[in-house]
Amino acid sequence: MSSTPIVAFLSDFGLSDSYVAEVKGVILSINSEIEIIDVTHQIEPQNVLQASLMLQRTAEFMPSETTFLSVVDPGVGSDRKVVAVETTRGVFIAPDNGLLWLTVNDLDVRNVVAVENYQYFFNEPSATFEGRDKMAPVAAYSALGVEVTQFGPTQTGIEKLDIPSVRAESETLVGEILYFDRFGNAITNITLENLMQFEASQLPIVYYNSHEIGHIVTTFSDSDNGTAMAYFGSSGYLELAVNRGSFRRKMGAESGQQVAVNYA
């Protein structure tokens, strides 16, 4: 392991309450030398898909042997499991609700366990804050080198995440908005790989609902201030934005709304 154990922490807790501090406090009370990296705590409440995408794009940039703690948990207190997944990249700890599906699918998995060993929990776990009382201490012990098989019984896999698919309709790709970043940019489920399915003789035009956005550009400076635009962002997905503005606010856009790329 590296000399400094690292926990990368992602949640939908926001920053106006004490939840993030409580989780960090539990981790640091087990070992104050652990370095905690905040991935983000601004995931939209209970948006497991957004959390999954954020984790997927972040994991590849973290040091090897990082422990990833991801807490977006609409099913807290139910019979859903907490899992610890050991991979070649590091150990991932999260509710077993599909959050880990995208990331773990890209990695070589060594072990998957259901986190059930009370020896590693923080006091008597709360039914409404398992992120603090179960996942945080397990993340801390994992970062310190405790084998994941100590946290509970092994299982064969994890819950799959249902991801909206991109449809090909004649000369059109039809996708949708998955989520928005803090700038109001809309991240869709359309990838460059999707577009490469077509052998087009002309540049495609992007539509949001009935609004024509225009051709796909390379960067923000390719459009005028206040103008809606489409481009492939650093996430690898087609994004919709307003140069020096908010696409979400200007267009009244919402997650799940249709985005189309037309080659006709």
Side-chain angles (χ1 to χ4, degrees):
M1 293 186 64
S2 60
S3 57
T4 303
I6 296 173
V7 171
F9 180 23
L10 176 153
S11 78
D12 61 352
F13 294 159
L15 299 175
S16 61
D17 299 296
S18 64
Y19 305 135
V20 170
E22 292 174 42
V23 170
K24 289 183 177 182
V26 169
I27 293 171
L28 295 174
S29 68
I30 292 170
N31 189 309
S32 61
E33 299 302 314
I34 292 175
E35 179 181 356
I36 303 174
I37 296 176
D38 294 296
V39 176
T40 180
H41 301 295
Q42 303 289 5
I43 298 296
E44 294 178 354
Q46 304 182 356
N47 192 331
V48 175
L49 175 57
Q50 182 187 11
S52 181
L53 291 163
M54 287 284 187
L55 180 63
Q56 181 189 38
R57 68 175 292 177
T58 302
E60 65 176 302
F61 300 105
M62 292 294 112
S64 60
E65 301 185 10
T66 295
T67 296
F68 297 86
L69 172 61
S70 303
V71 190
V72 177
D73 195 9
V76 63
S78 69
D79 59 358
R80 70 93 187 89
K81 297 178 180 179
V82 172
V83 290
V85 182
E86 181 187 11
T87 75
T88 50
R89 167 60 58 182
V91 174
F92 294 82
I93 297 160
D96 193 14
N97 58 9
L99 197 162
L100 298 181
W101 178 256
L102 287 176
T103 304
V104 167
N105 259 359
D106 293 335
L107 302 172
D108 181 18
V109 175
R110 295 169 177 166
N111 285 295
V112 179
V113 303
V115 174
E116 297 178 1
N117 190 343
Y118 275 75
Q119 175 185 345
Y120 294 101
F121 295 169
F122 181 74
N123 296 331
E124 183 66 27
S126 163
T128 59
F129 204 172
E130 293 180 313
R132 179 193 64 193
D133 300 336
K134 289 184 180 181
M135 299 180 223
V138 166
Y141 286 117
S142 174
L144 294 174
V146 175
E147 295 292 333
V148 296
T149 51
Q150 297 299 307
F151 300 137
T154 58
Q155 60 181 50
T156 56
I158 59 174
E159 286 293 320
K160 184 176 180 179
L161 182 67
D162 290 327
I163 304 168
S165 59
V166 177
R167 307 190 311 275
E169 300 178 355
S170 183
E171 295 179 300
T172 302
L173 281 174
V174 180
E176 66 181 66
I177 296 173
L178 297 178
Y179 68 94
F180 299 88
D181 66 16
R182 70 179 300 270
F183 299 103
N185 302 330
I187 290 78
T188 78
N189 60 339
I190 299 172
T191 67
L192 183 59
E193 184 179 355
N194 294 140
L195 266 66
M196 297 302 290
Q197 297 175 18
F198 289 85
E199 295 181 3
S201 58
Q202 58 185 10
L203 292 174
I205 297 176
V206 177
Y207 293 85
Y208 157 70
N209 284 345
S210 59
H211 302 280
E212 180 178 325
I213 303 300
H215 298 300
I216 298 172
V217 300
T218 302
T219 187
F220 290 92
S221 61
D222 293 333
S223 66
D224 296 330
N225 290 350
T227 301
M229 54 185 285
Y231 61 98
F232 280 97
S234 60
S235 63
Y237 292 93
L238 184 70
E239 301 183 12
L240 307 179
V242 168
N243 192 9
R244 302 202 179 186
S246 166
F247 185 90
R248 185 177 198 175
R249 184 169 57 250
K250 179 172 182 175
M251 307 298 288
E254 298 178 0
S255 297
Q257 290 183 317
Q258 180 176 293
V259 176
V261 183
N262 185 273
Y263 286 87

